[in-house]
């Protein structure tokens, strides 16, 4: 009889633990995708001209979303990197590392009180030319960190509009040579009349302003998914009409279980980032645009 009671008790405990695990799994949704695209061109005595090249582009995208009652917590991590080797010279074509986290509490049917954190940078040095003579970027040079408080309009799992009137944006430039040059909007170094360094450039730039983030994702037809993400930031105290823009889109077309075709675009405008405009070396803000089309192996989990 005692053995039977003990067996019943163990079964009850086991069932309780399984129920707790199942309940925990319901609260979390996790997953991601890893993809690798390769391309190669080989030319020999080609009358039309051109250069042989090898290119590779990889993407890792992960998410972990939590929801229980009135509380939701959405997290994502993305890392993309690409290189091309042309005529013996290697240069990167993609380099981005971004982390997003948003915590919300339900205020009404479709609105949430929310706090968001967005961080993005790159992992490898970038150069002005394939000869790699002039370094123009590096890991944490720049990096951008946005901390925002506001309201999130979320009528479905596919759409979110986050509006934050209280936002702090931090620009980080850890490379001192770039900081001394005033790259990415930080205060540059100060020199005396003899050209001697008096004060090093700042490694950080703090801004207070308003922030809007919109995300949207849907399956536009069978095996074709469209997703887009738009970030807007306006500095309250310095030229608020010059809005920083970061707009990313992705069209993913699934051929079979492992083969995908991906088209990504990224449009950036930042009034604090100077682009070389002409051969005379004049610089100024400009709209930046990148487009990548890849066919390769992808695995979702």
């Amino acid at each position: 009889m005692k053995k039977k009671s003990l067996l019943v008790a163990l079964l009850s405990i086991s069932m309780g633990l399984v129920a707790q695990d199942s309940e925990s799994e319901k609260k979390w949704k996790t997953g991601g995708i890893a993809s690798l695209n390769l391309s190669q061109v080989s030319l020999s005595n080609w009358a039309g001209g051109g250069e042989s090249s090898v290119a590779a582009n990889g993407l890792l995208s992960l998410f972990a979303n939590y929801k229980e009652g009135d509380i939701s917590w959405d997290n994502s991590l993305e890392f993309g990197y690409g290189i091309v080797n042309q005529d013996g010279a290697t240069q990167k074509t993609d380099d981005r590392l971004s982390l997003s986290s948003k915590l919300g509490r339900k205020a009404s049917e479709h609105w949430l009180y929310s706090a968001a954190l967005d961080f993005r940078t790159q992992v490898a040095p970038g150069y002005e030319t394939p000869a790699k003579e002039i370094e123009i970027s590096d890991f944490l040079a720049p990096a951008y960190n946005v901390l925002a408080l506001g309201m999130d309009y979320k009528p479905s799992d596919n759409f979110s509009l986050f509006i934050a009137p209280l936002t702090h944006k931090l620009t980080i430039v850890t490379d001192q040579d770039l900081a001394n040059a005033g790259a990415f909007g930080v205060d540059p170094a100060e020199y005396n009349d003899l050209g001697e360094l008096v004060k090093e450039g700042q490694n950080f730039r703090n801004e207070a302003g308003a922030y809007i983030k919109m995300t949207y994702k849907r399956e536009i037809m069978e095996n074709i998914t469209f997703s887009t993400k738009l970030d807007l930031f306006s500095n309250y105290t310095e030229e608020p009409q010059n809005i920083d823009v970061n707009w990313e889109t992705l069209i993913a077309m699934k051929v079979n279980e492992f083969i995908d075709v991906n088209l990504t675009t990224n449009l950036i405008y930042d009034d604090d980032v100077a682009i070389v405009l002409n051969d005379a070396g004049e610089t100024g803000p400009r709209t930046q645009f990148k487009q990548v089309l890849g066919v390769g192996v992808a695995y979702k989990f």
Side-chain angles (χ1 to χ4, degrees), residues 8-287:
V8 171
L10 290 174
L11 287 174
S12 300
I13 294 172
S14 300
M15 292 176 66
L17 291 174
V18 170
Q20 290 178 12
D21 289 341
S22 299
E23 192 65 30
S24 177
E25 290 175 0
K26 290 178 182 178
K27 296 174 184 177
W28 282 98
K29 284 186 178 181
T30 60
I33 183 172
S35 66
L36 178 63
N37 302 319
L38 302 172
S39 66
Q40 184 260 345
V41 176
S42 179
L43 302 176
S44 178
N45 301 321
W46 191 252
E51 297 177 347
S52 300
S53 66
V54 177
N57 194 83
L59 172 67
L60 176 65
S61 179
L62 307 173
F63 71 88
N65 300 332
Y66 175 87
K67 187 172 182 180
E68 182 183 14
D70 293 340
I71 303 298
S72 64
W73 185 22
D74 298 337
N75 304 277
S76 66
L77 174 66
E78 291 188 1
F79 173 58
Y81 193 78
I83 57 173
V84 59
N85 183 288
Q86 191 171 42
D87 197 27
T90 301
Q91 193 169 20
K92 65 180 182 180
T93 56
D94 189 20
D95 187 1
R96 52 194 170 90
L97 175 65
S98 64
L99 171 67
S100 296
S101 183
K102 183 169 62 176
L103 179 65
R105 180 181 179 85
K106 191 173 183 180
S108 63
E109 185 178 0
H110 299 310
W111 287 92
L112 298 92
Y113 304 110
S114 296
L117 172 69
D118 281 287
F119 176 83
R120 58 188 174 94
T121 185
Q122 59 184 34
V123 298
Y127 299 90
E128 192 172 279
T129 65
K132 299 183 178 180
E133 298 171 343
I134 302 176
E135 184 178 306
I136 59 175
S137 63
D138 205 344
F139 176 62
L140 296 181
Y144 301 97
N145 188 77
V146 173
L147 181 62
L149 296 174
M151 298 290 292
D152 188 17
Y153 176 65
K154 198 171 183 181
S156 69
D157 292 337
N158 295 329
F159 179 81
S160 169
L161 178 63
F162 177 58
I163 304 172
L166 300 175
T167 303
H168 175 260
K169 179 181 179 182
L170 176 65
T171 302
I172 305 169
V173 182
T174 56
D175 186 294
Q176 197 58 52
D177 290 336
L178 294 174
N180 289 343
F184 308 106
V186 299
D187 292 337
E190 297 178 8
Y191 299 87
N192 60 22
D193 295 338
L194 299 177
E196 298 172 333
L197 180 66
V198 176
K199 182 181 178 182
E200 289 190 331
Q202 296 294 308
N203 299 109
F204 304 96
R205 171 181 169 84
N206 293 285
E207 299 175 81
Y211 178 67
I212 294 177
K213 180 172 185 176
M214 185 273 291
T215 59
Y216 177 71
K217 180 179 180 180
R218 67 165 295 179
E219 188 174 8
I220 55 179
M221 60 180 63
E222 187 177 1
N223 294 330
I224 300 180
T225 303
F226 170 80
S227 60
T228 186
K229 179 173 64 176
L230 175 64
D231 295 355
L232 304 174
F233 175 80
S234 174
N235 187 333
Y236 283 142
T237 61
E238 186 177 333
E239 298 180 327
Q241 73 279 6
N242 295 337
I243 298 174
D244 296 342
V245 179
N246 186 22
W247 183 19
E248 301 176 22
T249 65
L250 167 65
I251 298 177
M253 294 165 279
K254 192 171 183 62
V255 179
N256 56 36
E257 185 178 357
F258 296 105
I259 305 299
D260 274 16
V261 178
N262 296 319
L263 174 63
T264 63
T265 64
N266 190 189
L267 184 147
I268 296 176
Y269 179 84
D270 190 335
D271 198 58
D272 299 319
V273 177
I275 306 295
V276 178
L277 305 178
N278 50 44
D279 295 337
E282 296 178 344
T283 62
R286 283 292 185 270
T287 300

